[in-house]
C-alpha cells in the first residue's frame, strides 16, 4: 500500500473473542478526563475513573514542608550532609538526609462502577465479543437476547461515557446500576437520571507504607478545610419505559437506548483554578450534563450510530509491513502473528492510549494513564518523575500529538509553585525543585517518611528532567509563543536551582552533593551497596543539557538575562561523562562495582536518549561507550525499560538489536497480573490480555514508550538532521508511516520497500520557509521547504545511496 492509498476512513480494529472476566482483560476508553474499562458481556460492567479523583488535598505538600522545617530540615542541615559526604562518612550523610524525607505523594483512585446488564444475553457464535476501534475510539459488541440481535457501542468524549444500545426487537429489560468503591454519601433518582455523591479520601498511603493506618483516610464531620467531594450521574434515553429499582434503573421494552454517565469533583474545579463550588452546584452540573448528552445526542429520536463519533485529529499512522486497517484478532493475528503487524499495533495502541488519557485542560497521564481499578494501586498510580512520567510523553512529538502534552506543562507549572518553597526552605536555593514522586496536587518534596532508601527517595533532578520534556514539545511545535509564555519561565526556575545546587571543588571541577542515580546503587570498598558519595552521570548531563537549552531559549527569544554569565560559567566546570576501563560509560563520577549489573534504569544514558548530548556523529567515543553500557545491562526487563532500551538502540543506529528487544517486549504475559514482580530483571514482563504493558503489575509507560521508540527507528530529527530510516530493522522490509512529527514544526510521510526508501514527503505548515538537512544512508542534503508547502524525496536519487548497512552498530554476539 502506498501513502496515497491510506484514506481517513480506514480504521484499525482489534477483536477479542470473549467478554472480560478481570480488569486486565477489559478495554480502555478515555478522553483525558474520564476513563472507562469496558468488560462487555451480559453483565456490561464499566469500571470508571475520573482523572481528578485523587486522595489528598491542595495543602498536603505545604503542610508537610512546614513539618519538616520545624523538625530541623533545611540549609544548615544540608551543609552538615555535604560535610559528612566530603569526609567520607556516608552513614552520617544518609542519617541526616532521612530528615528531609516527607511522607508520600497521594493516590489516583477508582471512582464508580456502571452496570449495563442485559439479562439473558449471549455471545453471537462466530463473531467477536468485543471490538476496539483505535481510530474511531469505540468499543463495539454484538449480543443475542432471545430472538433479538443487540449492538452495544461504547465511547468516552466530552467528559461523558456514552453507551448506545440498539436491538432488532424490544428488549425485556436493561438494568442500570451505579456504585462506588469509595465512601458513598447518598444517592437520588429523578426521572431517567440516577446520581450518587461520593467522599474522596483526604489521605492515601502507598502499599509499601504498611505502618499507615488507615491507609485511606476520609475527612470526618467537623474537620473543616478542603471538601473532598465528587459526584456521578447516569441518565438514559430510550423508546421504552424506565423504572426506579434497587440499586438503579430498569428500562423495559426498548429497542433503542442511549446511556450517559458524567462526573464532577471538587478537585476538578481546583485544578482549573476555580473557586470552591458547593456540592449542590457540582451535582446539578453533572446531572444536567448526563441528561443533555443522553437526550441532546439524539437526533430525531434515534440513537447515534457508531460512525457518529468524529475521528481524532490527525496524528501519525503506521503500517509496518504495509498492513494497517482491518479487523485483527488479538490472540492470533497480533500476539502470535507477524511481528510487523505487532509493531504496527504497538505504535497505534500507544498513540490511542496517550490521546485517550491526556487532553488539554485535564491532569497529566499518571502511572496507569487514566485507568485504575485498585483502591491501593501499585506505586499509588502517581507521577513517578525519575523516568515514568517523562516516558508517558516521549511519543507526543514524534506522533504529532503535542496538544496532548499540554497537561504535562500544567503539571510542571504546579510543581514549580510548590517546588519554589521546597527549594528555598529545604536547600536555600533559588528556583524550584521536584524529586522522585508527585501527584495531582503538585507534591514536590522527597518521599520516604524518614526510612526511604536514598537510592530512590533522595533525587533532586525530577523537575529538571521534566523541563526537558517541555523543551521537546517546543522543538516539535516550533511555537515561540509557547516557549516564551509557559516553557521558558519553568526552564529558568529549574536553571536557577541547578546553578545553586552545582558545587565546584578545589580543582575547579563541578560536582553534586548529594547525588544519586535513580533507584541504583554501587558497592563501596567493603562491598556494601551505596547510593550516596559520588556524582551521578545522569545528574550532570541533565544539568548540562538544561543550561545549554536555556542559552538557546534566550537566543531564540532575543532575551537579555542576568543568568547568562552564570550559565556560561557553570557549563565551563561540568565534567564530561567518564568511560571505564572496560570501555563502558560510567554511571557515577568514579569507576565502581555495580550492585545490580542488570539494573532496569538506564540513567547514565539519558544523554543519548531522550537528550542529544551523545550522538554517533558528534561524540563517537561516548556513543561507543553507551553501546557497551547497553550490552552489559542485557535484554529483559519490564515494559518501560524495554521501551527505553529500544529507543537507545535506535539512536545508535542498531535496528537489529532494537527489533529483538521489541519482539521480547510484545510477547504475552501469562503470570499473575496483580503480583508485584521483582525489579532486578530476573523476571520479564510482557503484554496483558488487553495489550497493557506489565511490570508486573500494569504500568502504562511501556505502552506509551513503544510508539516513541518505533518512530525513532523510522525517523530521527535531533542534532539538526532529519534522518530517514536511520535504524530500519531488516525484518521490516516494507511499510509506510504518515504524519510523523519532525522537530522544527514539520511533519513527514515515509514509504519504503525491500528495505529501501521509496518516498519521503516533508510538510511545512508554518508561514515561512524552512531549511532542513535531510539524511538517508550516509549522505546529507540541505533542502528548503516552502511556507505551507512540502518537499518530496524519491528513490532513486543521486544524492542518496541505495541502502545503509549498520553492521558496526549491531551488538556483537
Amino acid at each position: 500500500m502506498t501513502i496515497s492509498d491510506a484514506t481517513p476512513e480506514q480504521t484499525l480494529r482489534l477483536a477479542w473473542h470473549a467478554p472480560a472476566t478481570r480488569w486486565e482483560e477489559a478495554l480502555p476508553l478515555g478522553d483525558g478526563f474520564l476513563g472507562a474499562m469496558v468488560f462487555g458481556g451480559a453483565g456490561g460492567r464499566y469500571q470508571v475513573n475520573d482523572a481528578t479523583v485523587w486522595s489528598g488535598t491542595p495543602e498536603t505538600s505545604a503542610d508537610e514542608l512546614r513539618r519538616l522545617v520545624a523538625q530541623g530540615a533545611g540549609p544548615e542541615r544540608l551543609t552538615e550532609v555535604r560535610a559528612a559526604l566530603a569526609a567520607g562518612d556516608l552513614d552520617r550523610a544518609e542519617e541526616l538526609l532521612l530528615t528531609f524525607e516527607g511522607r508520600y505523594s497521594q493516590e489516583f483512585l477508582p471512582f464508580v462502577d456502571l452496570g449495563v446488564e442485559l439479562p439473558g444475553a449471549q455471545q453471537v457464535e462466530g463473531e467477536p465479543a468485543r471490538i476496539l476501534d483505535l481510530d474511531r475510539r469505540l468499543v463495539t459488541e454484538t449480543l443475542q437476547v432471545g430472538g433479538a440481535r443487540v449492538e452495544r457501542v461504547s465511547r468516552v468524549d466530552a467528559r461523558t461515557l456514552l453507551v448506545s444500545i440498539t436491538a432488532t426487537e424490544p428488549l425485556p429489560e436493561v438494568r442500570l446500576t451505579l456504585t462506588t468503591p469509595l465512601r458513598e454519601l447518598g444517592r437520588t433518582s429523578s426521572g431517567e437520571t440516577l446520581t450518587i455523591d461520593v467522599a474522596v479520601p483526604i489521605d492515601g498511603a502507598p502499599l509499601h507504607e504498611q505502618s499507615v493506618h488507615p491507609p485511606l483516610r476520609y475527612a470526618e464531620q467537623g474537620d473543616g478545610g478542603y471538601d473532598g467531594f465528587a459526584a456521578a450521574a447516569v441518565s438514559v434515553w430510550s423508546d421504552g419505559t424506565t423504572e426506579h429499582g434497587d440499586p438503579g434503573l430498569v428500562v423495559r421494552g426498548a429497542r433503542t437506548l442511549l446511556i450517559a454517565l458524567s462526573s464532577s469533583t471538587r478537585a476538578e474545579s481546583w485544578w482549573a483554578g476555580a473557586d470552591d463550588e458547593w456540592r449542590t452546584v457540582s451535582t446539578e452540573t453533572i446531572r444536567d450534563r448526563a441528561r443533555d448528552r443522553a437526550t441532546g445526542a439524539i437526533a430525531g429520536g434515534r440513537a447515534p450510530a457508531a460512525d457518529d463519533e468524529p475521528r481524532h485529529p490527525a496524528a501519525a499512522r503506521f503500517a509496518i509491513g504495509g498492513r494497517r486497517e482491518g479487523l485483527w484478532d488479538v490472540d492470533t493475528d497480533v500476539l502470535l502473528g507477524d511481528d510487523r503487524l505487532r509493531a504496527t499495533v504497538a505504535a497505534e495502541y500507544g498513540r490511542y492510549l496517550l490521546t485517550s488519557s491526556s487532553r488539554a485542560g485535564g491532569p497529566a497521564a499518571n502511572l496507569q494513564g487514566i485507568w485504575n481499578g485498585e483502591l491501593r494501586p501499585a506505586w499509588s498510580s502517581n507521577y513517578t518523575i525519575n523516568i515514568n512520567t517523562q516516558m508517558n510523553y516521549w511519543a507526543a512529538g514524534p506522533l504529532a500529538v503535542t496538544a496532548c502534552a499540554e497537561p504535562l506543562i500544567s503539571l510542571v507549572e504546579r510543581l514549580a509553585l510548590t517546588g519554589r518553597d521546597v527549594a528555598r526552605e529545604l536547600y536555600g536555593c533559588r528556583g524550584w525543585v521536584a524529586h522522585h514522586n508527585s501527584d495531582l496536587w503538585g507534591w514536590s518534596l522527597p518521599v520516604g517518611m524518614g526510612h526511604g532508601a536514598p537510592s530512590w527517595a533522595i533525587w533532586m533532578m525530577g523537575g529538571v528532567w521534566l523541563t526537558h520534556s517541555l523543551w521537546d514539545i517546543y522543538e516539535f511545535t516550533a511555537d515561540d509563543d509557547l516557549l516564551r509564555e509557559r516553557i521558558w519561565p519553568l526552564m529558568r526556575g529549574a536553571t536557577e536551582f541547578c546553578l545553586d545546587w552545582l558545587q565546584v571543588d578545589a580543582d575547579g571541577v563541578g560536582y553534586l552533593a548529594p547525588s544519586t542515580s535513580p533507584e541504583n546503587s554501587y558497592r563501596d570498598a567493603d562491598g556494601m551497596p551505596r547510593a550516596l558519595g559520588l556524582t551521578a552521570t545522569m545528574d550532570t548531563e541533565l544539568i548540562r543539557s538544561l543550561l545549554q537549552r536555556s542559552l538557546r531559549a534566550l537566543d531564540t527569544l532575543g532575551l537579555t538575562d542576568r543568568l547568562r554569565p552564570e550559565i556560561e560559567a557553570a557549563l565551563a566546570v561540568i565534567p564530561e561523562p567518564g568511560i571505564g576501563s572496560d570501555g563502558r560509560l560510567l554511571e557515577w563520577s568514579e569507576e565502581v562495582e555495580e550492585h545490580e549489573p542488570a539494573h532496569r534504569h538506564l540513567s547514565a544514558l539519558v544523554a543519548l536518549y531522550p537528550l542529544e548530548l551523545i550522538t554517533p556523529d558528534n561524540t563517537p567515543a561516548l556513543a561507543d561507550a553507551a553501546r557497551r553500557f547497553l550490552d552489559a545491562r542485557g535484554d529483559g526487563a519490564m515494559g518501560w525499560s524495554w521501551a527505553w532500551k529500544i529507543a537507545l538502540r535506535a539512536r545508535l543506529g542498531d535496528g537489529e538489536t532494537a527489533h529483538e528487544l521489541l519482539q521480547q517486549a510484545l510477547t504475552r504475559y501469562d503470570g499473575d497480573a496483580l503480583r508485584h514482580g521483582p525489579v532486578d530483571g530476573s523476571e520479564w514482563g510482557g503484554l496483558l490480555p488487553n495489550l497493557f504493558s506489565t511490570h508486573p503489575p500494569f504500568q502504562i509507560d511501556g505502552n506509551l514508550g513503544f510508539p516513541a521508540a518505533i518512530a525513532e527507528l523510522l525517523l530521527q530529527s535531533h542534532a539538526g538532521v532529519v534522518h530517514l530510516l536511520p535504524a530500519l530493522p531488516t525484518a521490516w522490509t516494507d511499510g509506510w508511516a504518515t504524519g510523523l512529527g519532525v522537530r522544527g514544526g514539520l511533519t513527514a510521510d515515509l514509504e519504503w520497500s525491500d528495505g529501501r526508501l521509496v518516498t519521503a514527503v516533508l510538510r511545512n505548515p508554518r508561514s515561512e520557509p524552512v531549511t532542513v538537512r535531510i539524511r538517508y544512508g550516509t549522505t546529507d542534503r540541505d533542502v528548503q521547504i516552502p511556507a505551507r508547502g512540502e518537499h518530496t524525496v524519491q528513490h532513486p536519487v543521486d544524492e542518496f545511496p541505495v541502502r545503509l548497512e549498520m553492521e558496526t552498530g549491531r551488538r556483537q554476539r
Side-chain angles (χ1 to χ4, degrees):
M1 175 178 293
T2 64
I3 293 172
S4 59
D5 292 330
T7 63
E9 290 74 27
Q10 293 170 324
T11 62
L12 173 59
R13 291 167 291 151
L14 304 177
W16 285 259
H17 287 278
T21 59
R22 54 195 176 100
W23 194 89
E24 294 77 20
E25 297 172 347
L27 305 182
L29 293 170
D31 69 345
F33 299 90
L34 204 66
M37 295 293 285
V38 183
F39 283 67
R45 180 190 174 195
Y46 297 81
Q47 187 270 310
V48 181
N49 291 95
D50 183 302
T52 59
V53 174
W54 289 68
S55 62
T57 78
E59 296 302 318
T60 301
S61 182
D63 290 344
E64 190 65 2
L65 175 60
R66 284 189 287 270
R67 186 186 70 82
L68 291 175
V69 172
Q71 294 182 355
E76 292 185 4
R77 186 162 293 172
L78 176 62
T79 300
E80 295 181 56
V81 171
R82 286 173 170 163
L85 290 171
D89 191 347
L90 303 187
D91 291 330
R92 177 58 177 164
E94 180 172 330
E95 177 186 356
L96 291 168
L97 276 171
L98 293 180
T99 67
F100 287 76
E101 294 182 355
R103 285 166 61 80
Y104 38 76
S105 61
Q106 293 296 313
E107 298 197 307
F108 175 60
L109 297 169
F111 185 35
V112 296
D113 271 80
L114 171 68
V116 182
E117 183 182 359
L118 296 169
Q122 295 181 340
Q123 186 175 337
V124 177
E125 187 175 352
E127 296 189 23
R130 296 170 296 153
I131 297 173
L132 173 60
D133 191 318
L134 296 181
D135 292 318
R136 292 156 69 202
R137 317 179 77 77
L138 306 170
V139 172
T140 304
E141 305 170 71
T142 304
L143 300 163
Q144 195 82 21
V145 179
R149 184 179 174 89
V150 182
E151 183 180 62
R152 181 165 57 197
V153 180
S154 309
R155 69 179 187 264
V156 172
D157 75 275
R159 308 188 184 198
T160 307
L161 167 63
L162 293 169
V163 182
S164 168
I165 298 176
T166 55
T168 56
E169 298 177 12
L171 297 172
E173 63 180 28
V174 179
R175 297 182 175 274
L176 306 182
T177 58
L178 188 62
T179 58
T180 179
L182 302 177
R183 179 181 291 179
E184 183 177 328
L185 298 174
R187 61 177 54 219
T188 58
S189 298
S190 175
E192 288 76 33
T193 303
L194 171 65
T195 305
I196 63 171
D197 296 341
V198 178
V200 179
I202 60 170
D203 188 63
L207 277 169
H208 61 264
E209 296 295 0
Q210 296 293 323
S211 64
V212 180
H213 297 289
L216 288 175
R217 181 169 61 87
Y218 291 87
E220 301 300 331
Q221 190 171 9
D223 281 355
Y226 176 77
D227 182 13
F229 174 77
V234 59
S235 188
V236 60
W237 177 95
S238 78
D239 57 1
T241 60
T242 302
E243 303 172 3
H244 295 276
D246 185 18
L249 304 173
V250 180
V251 181
R252 303 186 189 278
R255 295 176 60 180
T256 304
L257 301 87
L258 182 67
I259 301 151
L261 182 147
S262 190
S263 65
S264 178
T265 72
R266 172 65 189 104
E268 176 186 347
S269 62
W270 172 84
W271 180 259
D275 293 333
D276 199 359
E277 299 179 7
W278 293 105
R279 294 184 178 188
T280 53
V281 175
S282 176
T283 302
E284 289 172 1
T285 298
I286 55 110
R287 186 184 297 130
D288 291 344
R289 183 190 301 162
R291 188 182 296 118
D292 290 347
R293 293 305 307 277
T295 58
I298 305 299
R302 68 174 181 85
D307 58 5
D308 284 345
E309 168 70 356
R311 286 177 54 84
H312 189 71
R317 296 294 191 274
F318 297 82
I320 298 167
R323 300 185 300 164
R324 180 189 183 276
E325 76 288 344
L327 182 65
W328 303 105
D329 184 295
V330 167
D331 287 333
T332 57
D333 296 329
V334 177
L335 289 176
L336 299 179
D338 187 341
D339 79 275
R340 297 173 298 176
L341 174 63
R342 190 178 306 122
T344 298
V345 170
E348 297 274 0
Y349 195 48
R351 170 186 58 81
Y352 168 81
L353 293 175
L354 174 57
T355 56
S356 296
S357 61
S358 185
R359 297 281 183 89
N366 59 57
L367 273 179
Q368 295 186 194
I370 198 176
W371 303 279
N372 166 43
E374 300 293 321
L375 283 174
R376 304 294 305 285
W379 302 287
S380 298
S381 191
N382 65 9
Y383 299 118
T384 302
I385 59 175
N386 67 7
I387 174 59
N388 312 93
T389 303
Q390 289 86 346
M391 184 179 289
N392 280 358
Y393 289 93
W394 282 355
L399 270 57
V401 290
T402 50
C404 291
E406 190 281 334
L408 183 66
I409 304 176
S410 295
L411 173 64
V412 180
E413 287 172 334
R414 177 62 52 185
L415 281 170
L417 286 176
T418 62
R420 188 168 295 276
D421 292 338
V422 175
R424 182 183 63 253
E425 298 295 327
L426 282 192
Y427 306 127
C429 293
R430 296 170 294 171
W432 63 277
V433 64
H435 295 78
H436 173 75
N437 291 135
S438 191
D439 54 27
L440 180 79
W441 316 106
W443 175 276
S444 53
L445 290 161
V447 295
M449 293 187 67
H451 54 246
S455 61
W456 58 267
I458 303 298
W459 192 60
M460 290 74 177
M461 294 292 115
V464 176
W465 196 355
L466 285 172
T467 62
H468 289 299
S469 297
L470 305 192
W471 180 262
D472 284 341
I473 297 170
Y474 163 68
E475 285 208 317
F476 277 99
T477 60
D479 186 341
D480 288 351
D481 291 336
L482 178 65
L483 177 63
R484 179 183 295 104
E485 295 165 10
R486 299 189 67 184
I487 296 177
W488 165 242
L490 298 170
M491 292 175 62
R492 190 182 190 281
T495 296
E496 285 186 302
F497 176 78
C498 291
L499 292 172
D500 288 352
W501 192 249
L502 182 66
Q503 307 290 297
V504 181
D505 66 19
D507 296 322
V509 178
Y511 70 97
L512 303 170
S515 176
T516 57
S517 192
E519 304 187 36
N520 204 359
S521 300
Y522 64 91
R523 292 187 181 275
D524 64 15
D526 297 322
M528 296 293 295
R530 295 289 189 180
L532 300 171
L534 299 173
T535 298
T537 298
M538 182 188 209
D539 288 4
T540 55
E541 295 303 90
L542 286 172
I543 292 175
R544 182 199 311 277
S545 187
L546 175 59
L547 299 184
Q548 291 177 348
R549 288 172 168 179
S550 292
L551 293 179
R552 289 173 60 186
L554 291 174
D555 293 340
T556 298
L557 300 175
L559 299 177
T560 300
D561 196 300
R562 62 176 176 77
L563 290 184
R564 181 182 286 272
E566 291 187 62
I567 294 172
E568 292 170 343
L571 283 170
V573 302
I574 297 176
E576 292 288 336
I579 299 176
S581 58
D582 57 2
R584 284 188 291 162
L585 195 75
L586 295 183
E587 188 159 358
W588 290 273
S589 55
E590 296 179 13
E591 188 167 5
V592 289
E593 180 186 354
E594 295 165 301
H595 177 55
E596 293 181 47
H599 198 269
R600 59 201 175 276
H601 281 256
L602 294 308
S603 300
L605 302 189
V606 68
L608 175 64
Y609 183 94
L611 305 179
E612 56 188 58
L613 295 174
I614 296 176
T615 70
D617 287 340
N618 300 331
T619 57
L622 289 175
D624 182 66
R627 180 180 292 110
R628 293 171 184 269
F629 184 104
L630 271 176
D631 290 347
R633 276 291 201 262
D635 291 346
M638 55 289 299
W640 64 262
S641 188
W642 262 311
W644 198 357
K645 289 176 180 178
I646 296 164
L648 287 162
R649 290 290 180 180
R651 283 284 173 95
L652 292 170
D654 186 359
E656 302 313 303
T657 305
H659 180 248
E660 294 174 19
L661 293 168
L662 185 63
Q663 287 182 296
Q664 295 169 10
L666 301 184
T667 56
R668 186 196 312 268
Y669 179 78
D670 293 320
D672 182 355
L674 296 180
R675 172 175 169 263
H676 288 214
V679 297
D680 60 3
S682 59
E683 294 183 23
W684 294 3
L687 298 181
L688 296 170
N690 60 5
L691 301 185
F692 277 170
S693 177
T694 190
H695 192 205
F698 159 57
Q699 285 182 204
I700 203 167
D701 36 37
N703 288 108
L704 302 188
F706 293 145
I710 291 169
E712 204 75 12
L713 292 167
L714 303 179
L715 185 146
Q716 296 175 19
S717 61
H718 60 284
V721 177
V722 179
H723 197 166
L724 309 176
L725 303 181
L728 183 70
T730 302
W732 294 358
T733 54
D734 54 277
W736 54 261
T738 63
L740 294 171
V742 179
R743 286 175 173 85
L746 311 177
T747 62
D749 297 346
L750 295 176
E751 183 181 354
W752 67 95
S753 179
D754 194 26
R756 297 180 294 181
L757 179 71
V758 174
T759 303
V761 181
L762 274 74
R763 294 187 171 87
N764 175 21
R766 300 167 61 181
S767 58
E768 66 276 349
V770 175
T771 299
V772 297
R773 175 160 293 182
I774 300 176
R775 175 177 299 164
Y776 176 59
T778 57
T779 305
D780 292 354
R781 175 183 173 196
D782 291 334
V783 301
Q784 186 178 80
I785 307 176
R788 298 187 176 89
E790 62 184 42
H791 177 84
T792 300
V793 176
Q794 289 184 315
H795 181 80
V797 291
D798 293 337
E799 290 85 351
F800 294 119
V802 173
R803 181 172 174 81
L804 174 66
E805 297 293 343
M806 298 301 298
E807 295 294 343
T808 57
R810 295 179 185 171
R811 183 172 43 181
Q812 298 299 312
R813 295 295 182 184

